[in-house]
């Protein structure tokens, strides 16, 4: 598993989106590393991490992240992720709560059915057969430039297409989340803003007035941020994403 470490300070493991790599956070890196150590892994089959003989599944990728945390000897780092990485970050906190201090999950729905139908239709067309049509895209350029086996790009598309076709619903797992979580979404994301509000509701959010001193805020220390003027495709490089991630993870337990 390839990873890079930048900066110094309290560790933040930052997980990229599908068909990307840790490089996609380059516009935010100076801001994030001003007082944090940022660990940028490349998830299974992405970037400089070679694929292995198993499906792409956010649960097993979450186990990879937990193993990396142990390998680096990190003491309960904060874990943040966007899109695919947001789902992996969430499952890391669900499956390995003892290894995560605070969680930021951005642009990641917890139910497949929450995604807009037209997006599900587009996702249904992702397969290795689309590799030829993607040769002019930034995702293909990145993969060809850094992947250990550039010829595996169609295989990665096949696996991502299969993963997106699988139904999922992590409602009950989210309801039992033991790690303070910030739920982040763009106001024009792959799912409606109401879905992020729904996730926040599962975490005791939005149930009552917060109170003058915050005594009515969610019991687990959870928070919600809907970022204005953004979409699923530019949230990961927005200074707003960096700002809310730092504001939430800079809080003391």
């Amino acid at each position: 598993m390839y990873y890079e470490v930048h900066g110094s300070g309290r560790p933040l493991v930052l997980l990229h989106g599908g068909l990307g790599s840790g490089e996609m956070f380059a516009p935010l890196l100076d801001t994030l590393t001003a007082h944090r150590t940022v660990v940028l892994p490349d998830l299974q089959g992405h970037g400089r991490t070679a694929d292995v003989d198993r499906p792409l599944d956010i649960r097993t990728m979450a186990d990879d992240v937990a193993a990396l945390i142990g390998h680096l000897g990190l003491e309960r780092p904060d874990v943040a992720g966007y899109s695919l990485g947001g789902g992996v970050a969430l499952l890391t906190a669900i499956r390995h709560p003892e290894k995560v201090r605070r969680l930021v999950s951005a642009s990641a729905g917890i139910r497949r059915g929450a995604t807009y139908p037209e997006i599900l239709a587009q996702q249904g067309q992702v397969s290795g057969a689309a590799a030829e049509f993607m040769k002019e895209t930034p995702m293909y350029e990145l993969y060809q430039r850094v992947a250990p086996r550039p010829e595996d790009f169609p295989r990665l598309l096949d696996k991502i297409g299969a993963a997106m076709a699988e139904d999922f619903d992590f409602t009950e797992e989210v309801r039992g989340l033991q790690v303070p979580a910030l739920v982040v979404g763009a106001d024009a994301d792959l799912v409606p803003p109401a879905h992020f509000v729904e996730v926040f509701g599962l975490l005791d959010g939005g149930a009552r007035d917060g109170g003058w001193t915050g005594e009515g805020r969610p019991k687990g220390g959870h928070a919600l941020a809907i970022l204005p003027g953004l979409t699923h495709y530019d949230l990961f490089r927005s200074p707003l994403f960096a700002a809310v991630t730092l504001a939430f993870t800079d809080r003391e337990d």
Side-chain angles (χ1 to χ4, degrees):
M1 188 177 192
Y2 177 86
Y3 64 90
E4 295 180 359
V5 180
H6 300 267
S8 61
R10 177 183 288 163
L12 170 67
V13 179
L14 187 57
L15 306 175
H16 62 80
L19 294 179
S21 78
E23 285 188 20
M24 68 193 309
F25 295 115
L28 306 181
L29 208 50
D30 285 348
T31 299
L32 294 173
T33 58
H35 63 294
R36 303 297 298 270
T37 297
V38 177
V39 180
L40 291 175
D42 286 352
L43 298 170
Q44 175 191 339
H46 287 72
R48 293 173 171 84
T49 297
D51 198 7
V52 290
D53 188 18
R54 70 181 192 197
L56 281 182
D57 187 304
I58 61 173
R59 287 161 285 217
T60 51
M61 286 190 279
D63 294 343
D64 292 343
V65 172
L68 178 63
I69 290 171
H71 172 73
L72 295 177
L74 302 178
E75 184 65 32
R76 295 184 67 232
D78 301 314
V79 178
Y82 151 78
S83 191
L84 169 66
V88 175
L90 174 64
L91 267 293
T92 303
I94 287 171
R95 294 165 70 88
H96 306 277
E98 75 287 352
K99 292 196 171 184
V100 180
R101 176 181 168 271
R102 284 179 172 263
L103 161 72
V104 179
S105 179
S107 288
I110 66 163
R111 287 185 292 104
R112 185 173 186 270
T115 305
Y116 292 117
E118 61 269 26
I119 297 299
L120 290 176
Q122 291 175 21
Q123 291 176 350
Q125 301 187 19
V126 175
S127 72
E132 189 65 29
F133 302 102
M134 294 189 66
K135 286 192 173 179
E136 302 303 318
T137 66
M139 293 84 78
Y140 180 83
E141 184 279 327
L142 168 69
Y143 194 86
Q144 291 300 302
R145 177 166 52 84
V146 304
R149 296 192 298 266
E151 66 275 11
D152 280 357
F153 190 67
R155 177 183 175 182
L156 176 60
L157 293 180
D158 275 336
K159 286 192 171 187
I160 285 182
M164 293 190 298
E166 289 285 332
D167 195 20
F168 64 90
D169 186 340
F170 294 112
T171 297
E172 291 309 312
E173 290 88 341
V174 169
R175 204 190 303 273
L177 188 64
Q178 302 172 40
V179 174
L182 172 63
V183 180
V184 181
D187 61 0
D189 217 306
L190 290 184
V191 299
H195 181 64
F196 300 117
V197 175
E198 173 192 344
V199 178
F200 187 49
L202 295 172
L203 298 170
D204 192 43
R208 61 199 158 268
D209 176 69
W212 286 100
T213 60
E215 68 274 11
R217 288 200 52 79
K219 295 183 180 68
H222 309 296
L224 170 69
I226 305 296
L227 304 185
L230 297 175
T231 72
H232 189 79
Y233 311 100
D234 59 7
L235 179 145
F236 66 90
R237 61 175 179 264
S238 168
L240 292 175
F241 176 49
V244 298
T245 296
L246 289 173
F248 183 74
T249 58
D250 280 350
R251 295 181 185 178
E252 296 302 325
D253 292 335

